[in-house]
Amino acid sequence: MKQKNIRIKDIATMAGVSEGTVDRVLHKRGKVSRAATEKVNRVLAQIDYTPNLIARTLGANRTYRLVAVIPDPSLDEYWKQSFDGIKEAEADLAQFGITINVDHLYYNPHKRESFQEVTIKAFQSKPDGILAAPLFYHASISFFRVLSESKIPYILFNTNIEESNTLSFIGQDSFLSGRLAAELVSIGQTNESHYGILHIYEDLNDSVYLKEKEQGFKNYFAIHRPETSRNIHVFNLPDPGRQEFPEAMNQVLSLPHLNGLFVSTSKAYVVAHELHKRNLSVRLVGYDLLDQNINYLKTGYIHFLIHQNPRRQAKTGIRSLANYILLGKKPPRKSLFPLEIISRYNIDSYLN
Amino acid sequence: MKQKNIRIKDIATMAGVSEGTVDRVLHKRGKVSRAATEKVNRVLAQIDYTPNLIARTLGANRTYRLVAVIPDPSLDEYWKQSFDGIKEAEADLAQFGITINVDHLYYNPHKRESFQEVTIKAFQSKPDGILAAPLFYHASISFFRVLSESKIPYILFNTNIEESNTLSFIGQDSFLSGRLAAELVSIGQTNESHYGILHIYEDLNDSVYLKEKEQGFKNYFAIHRPETSRNIHVFNLPDPGRQEFPEAMNQVLSLPHLNGLFVSTSKAYVVAHELHKRNLSVRLVGYDLLDQNINYLKTGYIHFLIHQNPRRQAKTGIRSLANYILLGKKPPRKSLFPLEIISRYNIDSYLN
DNA sequence: ATGAAAGCGCTAACAC
DNA sequence: GTGTTAGCGCTTTCAT
């Protein structure tokens, strides 16, 4: 009835070779004659062999070191959530001899040099795998080229670099995300409305995904509300910590018939703050469940947040990497997360 | 630098006893003299011993059989999704010697006797753990009492039975869910609107969670739109397969000022169908990503779906059960899933 | 009651 | 190249 799992020993018997040879074929360790390789492969093709991970880790008695390259979690609550996801995954995987270095590899999300430094450090530590959130497009390219050359497997999350040779990208479809934002910001509004896209404190030159969101946003209007298409205004705003910021916001908010604002990053709360100060009512759509965003969502200054679930993205990333290293399982090239709509009506169910 | 983990062998040496004795003390298997027990415990008190779970599962070389009690997946797409979640979890856990019986334990979600039969079968098979979606409140009570008495651990999902002694319940907060539905169905509508709550083909007597949804729905109006509170109408509709159904729907749809309908189950599509037939425009809110619901969502007859994520619920349930049995980790008593809002604007991102 | 030893399935070192 | 074998840390059986 319940046939026992096939063991390497069984394969060896069936193929008429020794366990060692089967192991060598399975792991492509070389030093096997063509004849023996074929004998083993023939058996392998007929059966459905699943290695016993438990026995493997116990037998190998070795540890793997992964490395995660993300922005400093202490600088940004969003990255704190990614960090938490990494830690969760680490706890699950510890029993398989997997450790994760992340602590000394934080970078400043606004300093390209910082990212570059860290990527070099990460590479030089010769890890068994890398998970990275590569915010800087150009600096990433060379990093990933080096990794590919050194055969170090790596997975990206949050930000995709199409040109990279990554095992997998985990994140959302930025174009669709922008389209959804457009729909949320304009639903129920008249075609005379004007809308603003706000990129806050980001180097657009490096942030491909912000441009994609912008395109998705515009595309929605081009298709569904062509008359309104000309009423879309794009603003690149400075660091909200700087003095120029409120003045820049004044410009934005002085637009006539401004009925909606889309903040392309998780900084919607700074805009909500400005609306609050001025006692203005403008539909506001942004990203992510940061404490401040949640507060403004509950008080009605932010209407919708699109949840990117950084925690789960990071966790999935580490898991995929571990699955690949431990079991050789290739993850899907792209794992696109759902665009979760958060409003004041369902936010509570998302908070533990 | 990296001190090796303490092994049972080390403890044995330190305590001056054999490995076997240490193991017996560790697992309280008895047959150890007071003297030996104390020697071991003294050592244990001084060190920080963490058993190697990998080695433990490999050494034990035993299998655990879990059992899942759910409605027949072939009768209902919703339960098919739960089923898929179970199968996914099973694939992950196979390496730990966990197998799951589900195939011959389906019940008919509309037949209490069928549920009872299956619970008896499940119990008699003496599994190591049970995952159940207990749709029938009264019949569940005795089932879970028996399980508790026999020390068989069990976890509930989808439907909670507060009185049970379950290790964990995995699902959504029905009250909040009803409240969210009320908000979605009424947002942007005038206070003169009338609304219908539709329970389709369910024995309310047994379905606590439907009543909770209803209460949440009403509670929203009581608090936020007291004037509209008297405009809420509750309907218990028959099996949509029966001839009476369209006539019953006529009654519902003849309500004056009917501006919104809330279907408390995943059957919103049958209502959408009736609306479509009559070419009526009424805001419709329901549950779950069934194919037909998705179609009507895309064509605009359904406005919002609340996603219960049955796949993930079931998967989480099995995982928790396995974690408990394998590692002794107690899951949280309640694991409440987020209320995911699905509209035509983000549905695509949810479909793979 | 206790210790010794044979696995569990796989890896890796070592002979040949 | 190939087979053999000693672990990995724990469980479990079997003498004693």
Side-chain angles (χ1 to χ4, degrees):
Chain A
M1 196 91 299
K2 122 160 287 192
Q3 60 163 10
K4 289 203 61 147
N5 268 322
I6 297 163
R7 288 132 55 236
I8 284 191
K9 195 180 204 167
D10 301 322
I11 299 175
T13 315
M14 293 165 79
V17 298
S18 74
E19 288 187 56
T21 301
V22 175
D23 183 73
R24 283 182 278 260
V25 172
L26 283 174
H27 294 293
K28 303 188 210 293
R29 301 195 211 278
K31 315 205 174 196
V32 188
S33 67
R34 261 187 62 88
T37 310
E38 274 189 16
K39 278 197 283 185
V40 174
N41 280 331
R42 236 193 306 278
V43 175
L44 250 26
Q46 287 173 339
I47 61 166
D48 189 25
Y49 172 67
T50 326
N52 183 325
L53 220 207
I54 297 292
R56 174 178 292 180
T57 39
L58 188 62
N61 192 29
R62 68 160 286 190
T63 61
Y64 297 90
R65 195 172 47 82
L66 307 185
V67 140
V69 175
I70 61 171
D72 190 338
S74 70
L75 297 180
D76 192 320
E77 198 187 336
Y78 179 79
W79 294 108
K80 172 65 168 61
Q81 295 179 17
S82 300
F83 175 81
D84 290 344
I86 291 172
K87 285 299 171 186
E88 273 183 47
E90 186 178 30
D92 292 351
L93 293 169
Q95 48 174 320
F96 296 106
I98 287 197
T99 58
I100 305 176
N101 287 170
V102 52
D103 310 48
H104 297 294
L105 292 168
Y106 302 140
Y107 65 92
N108 182 321
H110 295 292
K111 296 229 172 76
R112 178 188 319 202
E113 314 78 51
S114 143
F115 175 73
Q116 277 170 323
E117 268 172 41
V118 163
T119 55
I120 292 173
K121 262 207 261 179
F123 170 69
Q124 286 177 342
S125 77
K126 294 283 174 214
D128 298 296
I130 295 185
L131 177 73
L135 292 190
F136 296 94
Y137 178 78
H138 297 291
S140 299
I141 299 286
S142 58
F143 176 43
F144 294 130
R145 185 164 6 88
V146 174
L147 291 186
S148 297
E149 280 165 9
S150 334
K151 309 267 185 223
I152 297 179
Y154 58 96
I155 286 181
L156 312 186
F157 77 104
N158 191 272
T159 310
N160 193 12
I161 307 287
E162 282 293 351
E163 294 83 344
S164 74
N165 216 332
T166 184
L167 223 45
S168 178
F169 162 68
I170 293 148
Q172 291 181 327
D173 184 313
S174 302
F175 186 85
L176 281 187
S177 177
R179 206 163 64 81
L180 171 61
E183 288 165 317
L184 294 175
V185 93
S186 67
I187 183 172
Q189 313 235 31
T190 65
N191 284 341
E192 287 73 43
S193 305
H194 281 239
Y195 299 101
I197 303 175
L198 274 48
H199 301 302
I200 300 181
Y201 192 22
E202 290 286 339
D203 183 349
L204 280 189
N205 203 18
D206 250 328
S207 306
V208 179
Y209 71 109
L210 291 191
K211 273 185 252 163
E212 287 172 358
K213 286 178 181 174
E214 185 180 315
Q215 283 161 8
F217 191 89
K218 289 176 172 168
N219 176 271
Y220 171 77
F221 285 99
I223 302 226
H224 293 97
R225 302 190 174 219
E227 328 83 283
T228 312
S229 235
R230 78 191 75 183
N231 303 352
I232 311 293
H233 311 269
V234 180
F235 297 91
N236 294 306
L237 298 175
D239 178 358
R242 302 183 73 94
Q243 290 195 335
E244 306 94 276
F245 189 78
E247 179 49 33
M249 278 301 301
N250 277 341
Q251 281 219 5
V252 174
L253 297 174
S254 63
L255 272 178
H257 304 293
L258 180 68
N259 281 335
L261 289 172
F262 166 44
V263 180
S264 62
T265 62
S266 58
K267 299 272 185 290
Y269 62 90
V270 307
V271 176
H273 180 70
E274 299 293 327
L275 292 176
H276 182 50
K277 270 195 341 202
R278 295 170 173 76
N279 201 20
L280 282 174
S281 167
V282 176
R283 175 92 55 89
L284 180 56
V285 174
Y287 286 93
D288 303 321
L289 302 189
L290 310 194
D291 285 344
Q292 300 196 68
N293 281 343
I294 291 170
N295 285 340
Y296 281 116
L297 188 73
K298 288 188 172 177
T299 53
Y301 285 95
I302 293 178
H303 294 74
F304 292 104
L305 290 169
I306 298 173
H307 185 25
Q308 307 198 76
N309 219 329
R311 200 185 53 74
R312 197 151 67 88
Q313 280 190 26
K315 194 171 174 179
T316 304
I318 293 288
R319 283 225 168 115
S320 302
L321 204 48
N323 261 317
Y324 177 72
I325 291 173
L326 254 26
L327 310 177
K329 279 194 187 148
K330 282 209 178 185
R333 176 57 183 76
K334 268 194 190 181
S335 168
L336 293 177
F337 274 33
L339 300 164
E340 299 183 65
I341 301 175
I342 312 295
S343 76
R344 63 193 304 181
Y345 307 137
N346 68 337
I347 178 66
D348 285 331
S349 75
Y350 275 84
L351 307 175
N352 284 15
Chain B
M1 196 90 301
K2 127 162 279 192
Q3 61 163 10
K4 291 204 62 149
N5 270 322
I6 297 164
R7 289 127 61 231
I8 284 191
K9 194 179 205 168
D10 301 322
I11 299 175
T13 315
M14 294 165 77
V17 297
S18 75
E19 287 187 56
T21 302
V22 175
D23 183 73
R24 283 182 277 260
V25 173
L26 247 23
H27 293 292
K28 304 189 210 294
R29 300 195 212 278
K31 314 205 173 193
V32 189
S33 68
R34 260 187 64 86
T37 310
E38 274 188 17
K39 278 197 282 186
V40 173
N41 279 332
R42 236 192 308 277
V43 174
L44 249 27
Q46 287 174 338
I47 61 163
D48 188 25
Y49 172 66
T50 327
N52 181 326
L53 296 169
I54 296 293
R56 174 178 291 180
T57 39
L58 186 62
N61 190 32
R62 67 161 287 192
T63 61
Y64 298 90
R65 193 173 47 83
L66 306 185
V67 141
V69 175
I70 60 171
D72 190 337
S74 70
L75 296 180
D76 192 320
E77 199 187 336
Y78 179 79
W79 295 107
K80 173 65 166 63
Q81 294 179 17
S82 301
F83 174 82
D84 290 343
I86 292 172
K87 285 300 172 188
E88 273 182 47
E90 186 177 30
D92 292 351
L93 293 168
Q95 50 174 309
F96 296 103
I98 287 196
T99 58
I100 305 177
N101 287 170
V102 52
D103 310 48
H104 297 293
L105 292 168
Y106 302 139
Y107 65 92
N108 182 320
H110 295 291
K111 296 228 172 78
R112 179 186 319 202
E113 313 78 51
S114 143
F115 175 72
Q116 278 170 324
E117 268 173 42
V118 163
T119 55
I120 292 173
K121 262 206 261 179
F123 170 70
Q124 287 177 342
S125 77
K126 294 284 174 213
D128 299 295
I130 295 186
L131 177 73
L135 291 191
F136 296 94
Y137 177 78
H138 297 291
S140 298
I141 299 286
S142 59
F143 177 42
F144 294 131
R145 185 163 9 88
V146 174
L147 291 186
S148 296
E149 280 164 9
S150 333
K151 309 265 185 225
I152 297 179
Y154 58 96
I155 286 182
L156 312 185
F157 77 106
N158 192 271
T159 310
N160 194 11
I161 307 287
E162 282 292 352
E163 295 82 345
S164 74
N165 215 333
T166 184
L167 223 48
S168 178
F169 162 67
I170 293 147
Q172 291 181 327
D173 184 313
S174 302
F175 185 85
L176 281 186
S177 177
R179 207 163 62 79
L180 172 61
E183 289 165 316
L184 294 176
V185 94
S186 66
I187 184 172
Q189 313 235 30
T190 67
N191 284 339
E192 288 72 44
S193 303
H194 281 239
Y195 298 101
I197 303 175
L198 274 47
H199 301 301
I200 301 181
Y201 193 21
E202 291 286 337
D203 183 349
L204 280 191
N205 204 18
D206 249 329
S207 305
V208 179
Y209 71 110
L210 291 190
K211 274 186 252 161
E212 287 172 357
K213 285 178 181 175
E214 186 181 313
Q215 282 161 10
F217 191 89
K218 288 175 172 167
N219 175 270
Y220 170 77
F221 285 98
I223 302 226
H224 293 96
R225 302 190 176 219
E227 328 83 283
T228 312
S229 236
R230 78 192 75 184
N231 304 351
I232 311 292
H233 311 269
V234 180
F235 298 90
N236 294 306
L237 298 174
D239 177 357
R242 302 184 73 93
Q243 290 195 336
E244 306 94 278
F245 188 78
E247 180 49 31
M249 278 301 301
N250 277 341
Q251 281 220 4
V252 174
L253 297 174
S254 64
L255 272 178
H257 303 292
L258 181 69
N259 280 336
L261 289 173
F262 167 44
V263 179
S264 62
T265 61
S266 58
K267 298 273 186 288
Y269 63 89
V270 307
V271 177
H273 181 70
E274 299 293 327
L275 293 175
H276 182 51
K277 269 193 344 201
R278 295 170 172 78
N279 201 21
L280 282 174
S281 168
V282 176
R283 175 94 53 93
L284 181 55
V285 174
Y287 286 92
D288 304 320
L289 302 189
L290 310 193
D291 285 344
Q292 299 196 68
N293 281 344
I294 291 169
N295 285 339
Y296 281 116
L297 188 73
K298 288 189 171 175
T299 53
Y301 285 94
I302 293 178
H303 294 74
F304 292 104
L305 291 169
I306 297 173
H307 185 24
Q308 308 197 75
N309 220 329
R311 200 184 52 73
R312 197 151 67 90
Q313 281 190 25
K315 193 170 173 178
T316 304
I318 294 287
R319 283 226 168 114
S320 301
L321 204 49
N323 262 317
Y324 177 73
I325 292 173
L326 253 25
L327 312 177
K329 280 193 189 150
K330 281 209 178 185
R333 175 60 183 73
K334 267 193 192 179
S335 169
L336 293 177
F337 274 33
L339 299 164
E340 299 183 65
I341 302 174
I342 312 296
S343 75
R344 63 194 303 182
Y345 306 137
N346 67 339
I347 178 65
D348 284 331
S349 75
Y350 275 83
L351 308 175
N352 284 16

